[in-house]
Amino acid sequence: MAFPTASTTLSDDRRTVADATPGFMPADEADALHRVADHYLSQRDSVGVGVEIGTYCGKSTVYLGDAAERHGALVVTVDHHRGSEEHQPGWEYHDTSLVDSHAGLLDTAARFRRTMFDAKLESTVLGFLAPSAAAALVWGKPADFVFIDGGHSMQAAQTDYDGWSPWVRTGGALLIHDVFPDPADGGRPPYEIYRQALDSGLFTEVDAYGSLRVLVRA
Ligand code: SAH
Ligand code: MG
């Protein structure tokens, strides 16, 4: 393992908040994510920034925000908060408690806000409520890391990769979640963009934890 484990765990209070938050980030991968974020945000003197694509209710964001807070850095987390395909009514991961009755659509924004309030991270984590492609259009700053954990359709994954991987600073990291080399384990699009990143020659894989891949930009 390339990243230190000592002194980088969450407080019990924050872990309790993360554990109580609906989402899709297993605890061991979340701890790895935390260590990696801590590492890449610790490398510069100016204010660091990490980007997450795919907030949902902010489960993974608690870990990223905790790492950022240690370094006076910020995390921007991008989501339209309408859910991915698999969160829609009739799909496997639909959660009826997250439907906004006014719009009749999934709405994870308020639940995300509650998570950040409970975790005391409202000044460290900046929610960016927008489609990934639109958010990428107005972004304009190198990031210490970009963590792609958004939609799993090929179009969504491609959009995230095309829009956000160019913003990883030299020596920074591109993190991709739900990378399954064996199609029997899960859908392909995150794996496909992981392959594109490697094949581009711009990124080198430095670590893997479960379905999380860590690629450094040369
Ligand atoms: N990181 C979260 C899980 C994210 S689930 C956790 O730890 O639990 C994927 C999220 O990506 C969903 O909330 C969905 O709304 C968002 N998403 C999917 N496609 C998107 C798009 N094109 N633009 C913005 N957000 C998108
Ligand atoms: Mg995921």
Side-chain angles (χ1 to χ4, degrees):
M1 194 171 291
F3 301 99
T5 52
S7 76
T8 55
T9 59
L10 260 61
S11 68
D12 288 347
D13 283 355
R14 279 203 178 137
R15 195 171 288 276
T16 301
V17 172
D19 287 348
T21 302
F24 309 97
M25 184 53 60
D28 56 335
E29 292 182 26
D31 283 328
L33 184 67
H34 185 247
R35 289 196 296 275
V36 172
D38 180 79
H39 178 77
Y40 288 97
L41 291 171
S42 70
Q43 293 178 336
R44 34 174 203 183
D45 297 331
S46 55
V47 177
V49 63
V51 176
E52 173 178 61
I53 310 301
T55 315
Y56 198 60
C57 299
K59 194 181 191 74
S60 49
T61 324
V62 174
Y63 292 82
L64 298 176
D66 184 90
E69 187 187 62
R70 290 159 193 251
H71 302 291
L74 298 169
V75 169
V76 174
T77 183
V78 178
D79 202 308
H80 51 36
H81 285 286
R82 292 301 189 198
S84 304
E85 262 181 5
E86 64 272 24
H87 305 133
Q88 304 307 319
W91 288 68
E92 191 179 356
Y93 294 102
H94 182 58
D95 180 345
T96 51
S97 73
L98 293 171
V99 173
D100 164 29
S101 58
H102 174 79
L105 295 170
L106 201 78
D107 185 354
T108 49
R111 189 60 183 79
F112 158 64
R113 191 163 210 194
R114 172 176 142 182
T115 305
M116 292 304 109
F117 172 79
D118 287 347
K120 300 186 171 60
L121 285 169
E122 289 185 293
S123 300
T124 299
V125 172
L126 317 181
F128 194 160
L129 203 164
S132 168
L137 281 179
V138 298
W139 189 257
K141 189 181 166 66
D144 295 302
F145 67 81
V146 168
F147 171 47
I148 296 182
D149 193 21
H152 285 170
S153 68
M154 194 59 224
Q155 191 190 356
Q158 193 68 55
T159 297
D160 292 343
Y161 177 71
D162 292 345
W164 291 96
S165 66
W167 293 111
V168 177
R169 68 162 166 83
T170 303
L174 176 65
L175 317 175
I176 307 177
H177 197 227
D178 304 304
V179 172
F180 298 112
D182 182 348
D185 295 330
R188 293 300 269 181
Y191 176 76
E192 297 292 346
I193 60 167
Y194 154 79
R195 287 292 341 161
Q196 286 177 33
L198 292 178
D199 294 345
S200 74
L202 291 173
F203 294 96
T204 309
E205 181 166 343
V206 288
D207 252 305
Y209 313 87
S211 74
L212 179 67
R213 295 293 179 277
V214 183
L215 313 180
V216 168
R217 179 158 190 172

